[in-house]
Amino acid sequence: MMDAKTEFSGEKADVREAVERYLEEQFAAYAETEVRRAAEYTALGGGHRWRPIVAIAAGRIFHTDALEIALPGACGAELAHAASLILDDLPSMDDAALRRGKPCVHLVFPKWAVDMAPVFLVTMAYAISLNHDRSSADRRVQAALALSSAGTAMIEGQCLDLASSLADGTEAQMLDCYRLKSAALYGAAARGGALLCGAGPEDADRMERAGFYLGLAYQFMDDVADVTATVEQVGKQVHQDDGKFTATAWLGVEGAAEMSRSYQTKALAELAPYGPEAEWLRSIVCEASWATH
């Protein structure tokens, strides 16, 4: 019999494959411009796909066919994330050189194409999230509104991130940044997946909170990885956050890891009312390896 860990790995692989295939099909419907190619370069062929995995896992609690039903909305969350990666890496922001084990998109494509690629990705995210019949129109709109709220939160979080430093940052500012920049999209993904699969308002709220806490746990471990991991392990530059007020600057490596575990505990508490149907999402919350891109 397949053990739980192997089974969960198989399910995650299924979601990753479905996301890649679906996004390839959706990109092919657009004119093959340099902007589309820059967007594809960012969105395809890499990444763990944690946000769509969380969306499908949350949806699975409410419908066994969650992968089929919630896939477009889950892919919308992934495209919003991809757009944020382009912006994060720009010379005007983090000035990064490596993302997902390959050169950042701004080092490969013309500046004008890179400037338009995030808009292309966000526009495409809403198109694929809304233009399908796998769930009711009302539920599609609710899920898209959750994604929109997360998008505006991410912009606010990026503003806080760029303004913070070891010299003038505070714990409150850092936590606000992480809630807005990272946790909000995880929360929206979980909420959207649940809504698309039939969750009611109370359950959708609970899924959003579970995703939100999972996103905070992720961000704290991402700070740890920036200090302790290698480029080969994370597929991006390390020590990229030197000079910022991060979780490790505040709490140290062990303290940041412990805080991550506390948020995992909070996420699991939100899932406590559910039975075996929530085991996949619980397993995702409990994993340590998901903490890097």
Side-chain angles (χ1 to χ4, degrees), residues 25-26 55 88 91 117 121 128 170 194 200 205 211 270 279 282:
E25 294 170 356
Q26 296 302 311
D88 277 354
L121 286 164
I128 66 174
T170 67
D205 288 347
E270 295 294 342
E279 281 306 303
R282 290 190 187 100

Side-chain angles (χ1 to χ4, degrees), residues 57-78:
R60 179 78 63 81
I61 296 172
F62 306 98
H63 202 295
T64 56
D65 292 331
L67 180 57
E68 169 65 22
I69 295 167
L71 182 61
C75 287
E78 181 65 17

